Amino acid sequence: MVSIKDIAKQAGVSISTVSYALNGSPKVTKETSARILAIAKELNYIPSAAARSLKKRETKIIGIYLTDYSGAFYGQLLQGMMETLSENGYELIVCSGKESHRFLPERMIDGAIILDATYKTEELLSHAERGHKLVVMDRRMDHSNISQVLLDNKAGATLAIDYLAEKGHQKIYVVKGPDISFDAMQRLEAVQKAVQRYSQIEYIELQGDFNKLSGEAAAKRVHQEFSEPVGVFCLNDEMAIGMYNYFSRTNLRVGEDVHIIGFDNIEVSQYVQPRLATINYSKHKWGALASELLLNLIKKQKNEHERINVSLIEGDSVRNR
Amino acid sequence: MVSIKDIAKQAGVSISTVSYALNGSPKVTKETSARILAIAKELNYIPSAAARSLKKRETKIIGIYLTDYSGAFYGQLLQGMMETLSENGYELIVCSGKESHRFLPERMIDGAIILDATYKTEELLSHAERGHKLVVMDRRMDHSNISQVLLDNKAGATLAIDYLAEKGHQKIYVVKGPDISFDAMQRLEAVQKAVQRYSQIEYIELQGDFNKLSGEAAAKRVHQEFSEPVGVFCLNDEMAIGMYNYFSRTNLRVGEDVHIIGFDNIEVSQYVQPRLATINYSKHKWGALASELLLNLIKKQKNEHERINVSLIEGDSVRNR
DNA sequence: TATAATAAAGGAAACGTTTGCAACAAGAGA
DNA sequence: TCTCTTGTTGCAAACGTTTCCTTTATTATA
């Protein structure tokens, strides 16, 4: 492997001069610099990232921690992150695998964005304590080395309940998410508050884990207890789609017997029949903002707390009772 | 930052002994080793990935190059890769950003899986020439440092045309993919061969780039030229969904006037109405196999060529003429 | 002309590991 | 008692950079 040492020898200069030249430092004259660069190109020189990051203590890479890749959901999110980071000379890597939590402490990445409920909060805190920079998207944390950008789950959940109520639904099921999920808990809390405002509403909670299968299971419960048209708020679209799957095999019709609204507005939601009513927000913006905050944290040592707005998307999955 | 040097000082041994102990070498006695490990833990020692990889010339990380993250498509693929790699002590990172192509030459990753048509073949070849290990999923390459695992596009495209023909369609549109895509070209080639077997078939090619919008554009063409029921083979599902979007705004009905079959069996395809007929294959297996071949390449220096089987999924988007 | 200031280049340490080799002690065999 | 193993530990070089500090050469100033 050709190193700056080889270039130095070839050019008849010292390795420090080569290093300066390669980094475009004004300390070395135009001519020497040009000569060195030419030789570097000729020798097919490729810098060693390991050596550089060992010395400079930075990698210009930031990591995003996700629970799972699935769902078209993440595509836009990552796209948003990438753009912001790329513009600032950073690369984005998606961290997966059971050992990837070591990326941050072992300094393979300069910072991390967390969207992975399984990552322990204490562990994140200890990273921050050690001086690492983080942005959390899936929990609330207050630390000078941590910024956060969260969805406005409360507003979203309230919109959903209001929508069902407005359409005249008085019996409302809520399919919950996993306890470990901050978003799920926030949404649930808001739901509980919202239904209290409607004295006539009968409100029932059903188990759920944000996956399709649990949506199907919840649908089964609803089916068994069915006597009159009901409203259902699935705390995410994934489970709502699971419900569609179930009801397509029964005599109950979505939008007639069972009125469903979801949360997230994932891609499939606009293609199912009838179109799923849901709560929307810009995944792209969410990702971009998270990256921006991380860069601010790294460059300006400034931590911030931001919120992503949500809005209601109407759909024929919820009609008047 | 605490290094093995600090541990050595604290333990009163040399740094080499610490290194051996940390790596579980049998060269150091159980007692010394235990003492060293205890001190390491106490000092909160964290190894430096940069230093290690500088010395060992390996990172235990492999990279996957994707064109874009979008599409639930990639979720399963990555899942398959992760599992195989994780089991073997490797981490997977998804390489994105305009500078990520440097990951391989600068030795940030030990090998790469390529599924990115924009990556130049010559560049890949030069990597291989330098001794880097690759697996390509999106082109054909023959080199001792490159393995390949491709979809059986020919079989898939043939199945699709046969299906349309079998259902009695005599006028068949094919919505092409981008020229840069190996899969698109292989599928198209197979289509051209397949239609020759049916003398009565009138066959028309339409432009496409694998994205929804181009599917919509193609649908518009079909609409304008419409006089009798036609068959359409979209070279991927994404474009087929684009066609659905377009036709939902017209008086033409999918599965009645326009009979569509796609390729890939992405998630939405099973939710659109009517269900999209398509060509299926296991994304999980594709990813897992690619990883396996890469590991073989790294460990046993053995390059292989594999193929992923495809199958037809029937759907009401194609009915008898 | 002597001196100071400026510009260009080189020397060498440091970043944190790994690893071949040398050193040393202790016990075994002769 | 002497040499030979065997087992345990230490020394030091190397991996490829960056960067602080000198040294040397050049030009400007008094």
Side-chain angles (χ1 to χ4, degrees):
Chain A
M1 208 78 299
V2 27
S3 71
I4 56 170
K5 216 172 192 168
D6 303 302
I7 303 179
K9 199 174 294 173
Q10 185 89 12
V13 298
S14 76
I15 63 169
S16 54
T17 304
V18 175
S19 176
Y20 286 128
L22 255 24
N23 289 304
S25 160
K27 305 178 78 173
V28 44
T29 54
K30 285 250 186 293
E31 299 84 55
T32 346
S33 187
R35 193 159 50 90
I36 290 174
L37 292 188
I39 292 178
K41 177 143 287 179
E42 189 195 321
L43 293 185
N44 240 310
Y45 166 74
I46 292 166
S48 156
R52 174 173 296 160
S53 79
L54 174 58
K55 185 65 191 170
K56 297 199 69 172
R57 295 161 159 278
E58 68 172 24
T59 60
K60 288 287 180 186
I61 298 178
I62 84 106
I64 161 83
Y65 283 82
L66 297 175
T67 319
D68 63 351
Y69 294 115
S70 42
F73 178 82
Y74 291 121
Q76 297 172 59
L77 196 76
L78 294 174
Q79 197 65 36
M81 292 181 179
M82 254 191 57
E83 288 170 12
T84 309
L85 293 173
S86 225
E87 278 169 20
N88 289 273
Y90 280 82
E91 293 298 306
L92 177 71
I93 69 176
V94 181
C95 302
S96 60
K98 45 179 187 276
E99 296 295 326
S100 64
H101 61 92
R102 302 191 326 192
F103 282 12
L104 197 59
E106 296 187 3
R107 265 180 280 118
M108 314 214 57
I109 56 182
D110 290 348
I113 299 174
I114 312 295
L115 186 53
D116 175 356
T118 65
Y119 216 123
K120 299 267 198 304
T121 296
E122 314 105 63
E123 202 172 344
L124 295 179
L125 209 56
S126 85
H127 288 332
E129 249 348 290
R130 284 166 184 275
H132 295 295
K133 312 297 184 188
L134 300 176
V135 171
V136 291
M137 302 174 76
D138 65 347
R139 70 197 74 198
R140 199 175 269 140
M141 286 186 78
D142 213 347
H143 190 284
S144 61
N145 282 329
I146 302 182
S147 282
Q148 88 190 11
V149 42
L150 305 178
L151 293 180
D152 195 345
N153 288 304
K154 306 219 179 209
T158 309
L159 278 173
I161 293 298
D162 286 350
Y163 185 57
L164 287 172
E166 183 187 304
K167 293 288 183 180
H169 296 285
Q170 311 211 337
K171 182 171 183 180
I172 296 184
Y173 287 92
V174 168
V175 186
K176 302 195 288 185
D179 292 347
I180 197 183
S181 159
F182 176 77
D183 289 326
M185 296 318 277
Q186 266 206 323
R187 289 168 198 179
L188 183 64
E189 237 175 79
V191 164
Q192 289 164 347
K193 232 172 227 147
V195 291
Q196 282 179 1
R197 299 205 319 269
Y198 301 96
S199 52
Q200 80 283 13
I201 283 185
E202 184 194 351
Y203 159 68
I204 305 128
E205 292 183 1
L206 296 180
Q207 231 32 255
D209 66 1
F210 273 4
N211 290 312
K212 277 201 199 77
L213 249 43
S214 70
E216 294 199 38
K220 193 172 177 186
R221 263 286 297 278
V222 173
H223 188 203
Q224 285 166 346
E225 299 177 2
F226 188 81
S227 59
E228 48 171 355
V230 293
V232 182
F233 176 25
C234 289
L235 258 35
N236 78 353
D237 280 8
E238 192 84 9
M239 297 190 296
I241 301 301
M243 288 199 127
Y244 273 67
N245 286 348
Y246 179 87
F247 287 122
S248 72
R249 302 190 298 262
T250 70
N251 56 339
L252 295 186
R253 291 284 148 260
V254 174
E256 291 172 24
D257 308 305
V258 186
H259 299 254
I260 306 180
I261 182 169
F263 202 120
D264 283 345
N265 190 28
I266 63 177
E267 195 194 9
V268 267
S269 303
Q270 69 182 291
Y271 290 109
V272 289
Q273 288 294 346
R275 203 252 185 257
L276 177 65
T278 188
I279 303 299
N280 182 51
Y281 51 88
S282 168
K283 288 99 195 157
H284 185 279
K285 189 172 160 193
W286 197 18
L289 193 53
S291 306
E292 201 182 317
L293 296 197
L294 187 53
L295 292 175
N296 284 347
L297 211 47
I298 292 174
K299 288 179 187 156
K300 309 177 199 155
Q301 311 271 22
K302 193 178 97 193
N303 73 320
E304 300 158 273
H305 288 188
E306 292 282 355
R307 177 186 292 166
I308 297 292
N309 290 326
V310 303
S311 63
L312 172 72
I313 290 196
E314 306 196 23
D316 283 338
S317 63
V318 177
R319 293 207 187 90
N320 278 313
R321 178 153 182 275
Chain B
M1 207 80 298
V2 27
S3 72
I4 57 171
K5 216 171 189 169
D6 303 302
I7 303 180
K9 200 174 294 172
Q10 184 90 14
V13 298
S14 75
I15 63 169
S16 54
T17 304
V18 174
S19 176
Y20 287 129
L22 255 24
N23 289 303
S25 159
K27 302 178 79 174
V28 45
T29 54
K30 286 250 184 291
E31 300 84 56
T32 343
S33 186
R35 192 159 50 91
I36 291 174
L37 293 188
I39 293 177
K41 176 144 289 178
E42 190 194 321
L43 293 186
N44 242 310
Y45 167 73
I46 292 166
S48 156
R52 174 173 297 158
S53 79
L54 173 60
K55 185 64 191 171
K56 299 198 67 172
R57 296 161 160 277
E58 67 170 28
T59 60
K60 287 286 179 186
I61 297 178
I62 83 107
I64 161 83
Y65 284 83
L66 296 176
T67 320
D68 63 351
Y69 294 116
S70 43
F73 179 83
Y74 292 120
Q76 298 172 57
L77 195 75
L78 294 174
Q79 197 64 37
M81 292 181 178
M82 254 191 58
E83 288 170 13
T84 309
L85 293 173
S86 226
E87 278 168 21
N88 289 272
Y90 279 83
E91 293 297 305
L92 177 70
I93 70 178
V94 181
C95 301
S96 60
K98 46 179 187 278
E99 297 295 326
S100 65
H101 61 91
R102 302 191 327 193
F103 283 11
L104 196 59
E106 296 187 2
R107 265 180 279 116
M108 314 215 55
I109 56 181
D110 290 348
I113 299 173
I114 312 295
L115 186 52
D116 175 356
T118 66
Y119 216 124
K120 300 265 196 309
T121 297
E122 314 105 63
E123 201 172 346
L124 294 179
L125 208 56
S126 85
H127 288 331
E129 246 353 287
R130 284 167 185 275
H132 292 120
K133 312 298 185 187
L134 302 175
V135 172
V136 291
M137 301 174 76
D138 64 348
R139 70 197 73 197
R140 200 175 268 139
M141 288 187 77
D142 212 347
H143 190 284
S144 60
N145 282 330
I146 303 181
S147 282
Q148 88 189 12
V149 42
L150 305 178
L151 294 179
D152 196 345
N153 287 304
K154 307 219 178 209
T158 309
L159 277 172
I161 293 298
D162 285 350
Y163 185 55
L164 287 172
E166 184 187 304
K167 294 287 184 180
H169 296 285
Q170 309 211 337
K171 183 171 182 181
I172 296 184
Y173 287 94
V174 167
V175 186
K176 302 194 288 183
D179 292 348
I180 198 183
S181 160
F182 176 78
D183 289 327
M185 296 319 277
Q186 268 206 322
R187 289 169 197 177
L188 183 64
E189 239 175 78
V191 164
Q192 291 164 344
K193 231 171 228 147
V195 291
Q196 282 179 359
R197 299 206 317 270
Y198 302 97
S199 52
Q200 79 284 13
I201 284 185
E202 184 193 351
Y203 158 69
I204 305 128
E205 292 183 0
L206 297 179
Q207 232 31 255
D209 65 2
F210 272 5
N211 290 313
K212 277 202 198 77
L213 248 44
S214 69
E216 293 198 38
K220 192 172 178 185
R221 263 286 298 278
V222 172
H223 188 203
Q224 285 165 346
E225 298 176 3
F226 188 81
S227 61
E228 50 171 351
V230 295
V232 181
F233 176 25
C234 289
L235 258 35
N236 78 353
D237 280 7
E238 192 85 8
M239 297 191 295
I241 300 300
M243 289 200 126
Y244 273 67
N245 287 348
Y246 178 87
F247 288 120
S248 72
R249 304 189 297 262
T250 71
N251 56 340
L252 295 187
R253 292 284 149 261
V254 173
E256 290 172 24
D257 308 307
V258 185
H259 299 255
I260 306 180
I261 181 169
F263 201 120
D264 283 345
N265 190 29
I266 63 178
E267 195 194 10
V268 268
S269 303
Q270 68 180 293
Y271 290 109
V272 290
Q273 289 292 346
R275 203 254 185 255
L276 177 65
T278 188
I279 303 298
N280 183 52
Y281 51 88
S282 167
K283 288 98 194 157
H284 185 278
K285 188 173 161 190
W286 197 17
L289 193 53
S291 305
E292 200 183 317
L293 294 198
L294 186 53
L295 292 175
N296 285 346
L297 211 45
I298 292 174
K299 288 179 187 156
K300 308 177 199 156
Q301 312 271 20
K302 194 180 98 193
N303 74 321
E304 300 158 272
H305 290 188
E306 291 282 355
R307 176 186 292 166
I308 297 292
N309 291 326
V310 303
S311 63
L312 173 72
I313 290 195
E314 306 196 21
D316 282 340
S317 62
V318 176
R319 294 208 187 88
N320 278 313
R321 179 156 180 275

